[in-house]
Amino acid sequence: LLYDVIYHQERDWGIIDLGCGDCCTLDFLAASGFRNLHGIDLQLKSNSENVAYTLYQGDLTKTPLVDNSIELAVSISVIEHGVELPAFFAEVSRLLKTDGLLL
C-alpha cells in the first residue's frame, strides 16, 4: 500500500515515520528516491549513517517538526503498542499539510 501511494509522488515530499524503529521504512523511501525524510522513535535502533533522512529520539506525539510541514506521515505497526491515540492524531494533524496523508 505504501508503494502504491508514493509511486507517482514528488520526491521532495516531506515524510515522517512515526515510530521508525530500525528504519526499514525510511530505507525503503530513501531507496525510492525520497529526500525529505524524518523518523522518530523512543529508542533508535539504527546505527545507520544514511544521510537521506534525519532521526529524532523522542515521543512520536511531540515531534520537533514545524506545523504543516509534512505531506505523508507513516506509522506501521506502532500505535497498537500503547500510544495515546488522541495525542497521536493531534500531532499528525499538526504536522500534515492540507491534503496530507497518514498511513
Side-chain angles (χ1 to χ4, degrees), residues 64-82:
L65 300 177
V66 299
D67 295 0
N68 304 309
S69 60
I70 298 294
E71 280 85 8
L72 175 65
V74 179
S75 190
I76 299 173
S77 297
V78 174
I79 63 173
E80 67 271 22
H81 297 286

Side-chain angles (χ1 to χ4, degrees), residues 7-47:
Y7 179 71
H8 294 291
Q9 303 305 330
E10 296 294 324
R11 294 310 192 241
D12 61 348
W13 253 25
I15 301 175
I16 187 165
D17 186 355
L18 299 160
C20 61
D22 63 5
C23 299
C24 62
T25 300
L26 290 170
D27 289 336
F28 166 74
L29 292 165
S32 298
F34 289 91
R35 300 177 300 274
N36 187 8
L37 301 171
H38 308 270
I40 188 166
D41 205 293
L42 284 174
Q43 298 179 351
L44 294 176
K45 300 172 191 161
S46 175
N47 292 328

Side-chain angles (χ1 to χ4, degrees), residues 1-4 9 29 37-38 46 51 55 60 68 70 79 84-85 88 93 99 101:
L1 179 60
L2 177 58
Y3 179 78
D4 290 342
Q9 303 305 330
L29 292 165
L37 301 171
H38 308 270
S46 175
V51 295
L55 296 177
L60 58 86
N68 304 309
I70 298 294
I79 63 173
E84 184 183 330
L85 294 180
F88 173 81
S93 179
D99 297 327
L101 301 171

